[in-house]
Amino acid sequence: MTARSAPRTDVPAIQVQGLHKYFGDNEVLKGIDFHVNSGEVVCVIGPSGSGKSTLLRCVNRLEEPTEGQILVEGIDICDPEVDLDDVRSRIGMVFQQFNLFPHLDVLKNLTLAQRTVRGRSKDEAVQIARQNLEKVGLSEKEAAYPAHLSGGQQQRVAIARALSMDPDMMLFDEPTSALDPELVGDVLDVMKALASEGMTMMVVTHEMGFAREVGNKLVFMDGGVVVEEGVPSEVLSSPQHERTQAFLSKVL
Ligand code: ADP
Ligand code: MG
């Protein structure tokens, strides 16, 4: 499990084609075509229930697509032959609710999967964990338990944990939505720094300032379809579709 081929940059990092997803009779993704190029930051916005999380979760098969194709670095992740552990180890996920292990201190949160999934030695895992804690500005918290950290600190730990797996790309699902307003900035700063280092990122967010400043592309979803996409500043200042206009008039 340790050895992993270098990321391909000659194909999109993520390519979604004709994706449909049903939960029972409920069709929540109704034919999504979507791609994220290597090194790009794509932000996804849209009303609650529009299918943003489901789309994100299909990209590493936390949800099974009902129909359509998802290629990650050119690999069809729904191919029964695919090495799903390898694909997933290339994709870092950060959730709204942090999802840290409450019974483990920060350092153990960061080393556990490195050791079990990437097969790293304890020393190597600790060294990589410390590098990533420094990156998110939390070196002094390595012995703390999640419950003793603020939400913003917990989310930065979650980002450091994902980075410790050396992902080729990062998926964020409303990473700042559960945070008190004064804690949002520190998390966005970490994400901006990641973007400027060239990390490929797909970010579901309500932070329009972030989308405008950092995003290469903004995608507006509503009712299980991509309604509109484009350069963030253009979509935000002159949305073409009525549904985009209606949504933005509520949130801007
Ligand atoms: P968003 O992230 O844009 O708010 P979601 O992708 O979470 O939207 O949800 C889209 C729709 O799919 C909603 O109607 C939601 O109730 C439904 N849904 C999401 N997850 C499940 C699930 N595991 N089982 C059944 N329905 C689900
Ligand atoms: Mg969601």
Side-chain angles (χ1 to χ4, degrees), residues 52-54 96 173-174 204:
K52 306 178 299 294
S53 295
T54 304
Q96 185 175 336
D173 193 357
E174 298 196 32
V204 176

Side-chain angles (χ1 to χ4, degrees), residues 176-188:
T176 60
S177 293
L179 301 178
D180 291 332
E182 73 275 19
L183 304 177
V184 168
D186 287 342
V187 173
L188 293 180

